[in-house]
Amino acid sequence: MSLTTFATADAGFEPAGAAARRGIAKPAKVTVPSLQQKKFLRQPITCVTAYDYASARLIDEAGLDLILVGDSLAMVMQGQPDTLAITLDEMLLYTRGVRRAVKRALLVADMPFGSYQVDDREGVANALRFVKEAGAEAVKVEGGANRASLVRRLTDAEIPVMGHIGLTPQSVHRMGGYKVQGKTLAAVDRLRADALALEDAGCFAIVLEGMPRELGTILTAELKIPTIGIGAGPDCDGQILVLHDMLSLTFSPPAKFVRRYADIGASITRAVEEYKQDVESRSFPTEDESYHLPAGVQL
Ligand code: KIV
């Protein structure tokens, strides 16, 4: 399928974004096939996490390709020490808010720990909830060859699946912490086999997290589907970052691969301190910021 076909097929889409406001041609809706096309054309795929309506809307209007409602929200939104305790119902709630905002990007929801590990049947039933109840267009599961049968069942059920290998946060206890993976030749071989098994099972893309850049390069060359890196070097087909990491809305030192694009944490602190001062000094609200009785109504 050509790029023109993609644009024509999606001509009915009406983004409310900045590009549209500037009168620039409407970008086409991002789909699973259009991401594959980007790999083919060697165009970088841009991805970020979002967990709420406002940030998802800004990200979508900025024109990113893929928005992930990641289970990282357990840590950055809920202050939990890891991603393990977040529930399916909580993930569905956050995904619904993001769904209302996203018009163009592909919306992927993370399947939380415990929602697909018991058996494939339960995994498919839970993934269906993301599509039917929250409007996700795809789901992400962590793991390699051990997830191949689940990925097959999900794709049979018409649910596109994104794989996730390397540093998989749901395996924190097995890994003994958040450690870079694939550092020995045996580990490299395992990850290559995992990636190929996921591709073979039907994943439309794979997140490569926390691995040597050389491995990210090899996997990207070996796979026909797009690789999305996070701490896997610059040669992946796309990159993903956790929004709160890139905006400095976290409270511990960032990982080596994080680039801080803004200090929103400092902006919030400054704004809230200023507001506090204004209230305490009675300079907020002013006359202009107050409502008045209509003319002719007197107390
Ligand atoms: O949960 C998440 O945010 C993720 C990304 C870091 C890939 O899995």
Side-chain angles (χ1 to χ4, degrees):
M1 194 184 274
S2 72
L3 269 190
T4 327
T5 321
F6 282 123
T8 313
D10 296 311
F13 173 65
E14 282 287 339
R21 277 197 293 274
R22 290 198 305 274
I24 297 169
K26 294 176 289 186
K29 171 81 181 88
V30 179
T31 61
V32 166
S34 72
L35 290 181
Q36 183 65 54
Q37 185 80 352
K38 278 199 126 179
K39 170 155 184 148
F40 181 70
L41 296 173
R42 297 181 183 277
Q43 294 172 345
I45 297 170
T46 53
C47 318
V48 76
T49 62
Y51 318 108
D52 67 285
Y53 177 86
S55 63
R57 185 159 170 173
L58 295 171
I59 293 163
D60 194 50
E61 293 184 0
L64 272 78
D65 293 311
L66 185 150
I67 294 180
L68 171 71
V69 185
D71 62 355
S72 50
L73 76 81
M75 298 167 81
V76 299
M77 296 286 287
Q78 299 185 332
Q80 300 199 44
D82 52 46
T83 59
L84 302 181
I86 187 127
T87 65
L88 179 65
D89 285 334
E90 288 172 299
M91 289 298 298
L92 286 166
L93 180 78
Y94 286 97
T95 306
R96 278 186 213 111
V98 172
R99 174 69 283 168
R100 286 178 207 116
V102 176
K103 301 277 182 277
R104 176 182 176 268
L106 187 78
L107 176 56
V108 182
D110 227 351
M111 295 202 58
F113 182 62
S115 70
Y116 58 97
Q117 284 86 352
V118 176
D119 59 36
D120 292 352
R121 195 182 156 83
E122 189 175 279
V124 174
N126 288 333
L128 283 167
R129 291 192 65 192
F130 276 108
V131 178
K132 290 174 77 78
E133 296 175 32
E137 293 164 285
V139 296
K140 177 168 82 57
V141 297
E142 297 184 7
N146 59 338
R147 300 286 170 243
S149 71
L150 172 65
V151 172
R152 277 202 179 83
R153 293 283 306 273
L154 290 168
T155 49
D156 274 357
E158 311 299 349
I159 303 173
V161 189
M162 197 175 188
H164 183 164
I165 61 171
L167 193 173
T168 45
Q170 292 178 11
S171 322
V172 59
H173 295 315
R174 175 178 57 72
M175 295 183 303
Y178 297 106
K179 296 178 177 162
V180 174
Q181 303 293 298
K183 295 221 269 198
T184 64
L185 287 181
V188 165
D189 284 347
R190 270 197 304 277
L191 284 167
R192 285 171 92 167
D194 281 338
L196 290 170
L198 289 172
E199 174 172 88
D200 190 50
C203 280
F204 73 89
I206 303 185
V207 171
L208 307 180
E209 179 166 357
M211 61 180 66
R213 73 166 282 184
E214 295 83 355
L215 184 51
T217 307
I218 290 172
L219 293 177
T220 302
E222 283 182 349
L223 294 173
K224 292 188 239 4
I225 56 173
T227 59
I228 307 297
I230 173 163
D235 298 322
C236 298
D237 296 305
Q239 298 291 332
I240 186 163
L241 280 177
V242 168
L243 184 72
H244 289 56
D245 285 342
M246 59 184 280
L247 300 183
S248 306
L249 266 175
T250 50
F251 298 90
S252 42
K256 180 185 169 98
F257 60 81
V258 170
R259 186 178 294 176
R260 304 285 209 189
Y261 284 89
D263 195 345
I264 302 299
S267 298
I268 291 176
T269 303
R270 261 199 312 277
V272 173
E273 282 173 355
E274 200 181 324
Y275 165 72
K276 175 176 181 282
Q277 225 170 38
D278 288 351
V279 172
E280 287 174 350
S281 65
R282 296 195 183 280
S283 63
F284 175 83
T286 60
E287 181 67 4
D288 282 351
E289 287 159 337
S290 306
Y291 294 111
H292 296 279
L293 286 170
V297 181
Q298 283 189 339
L299 290 181

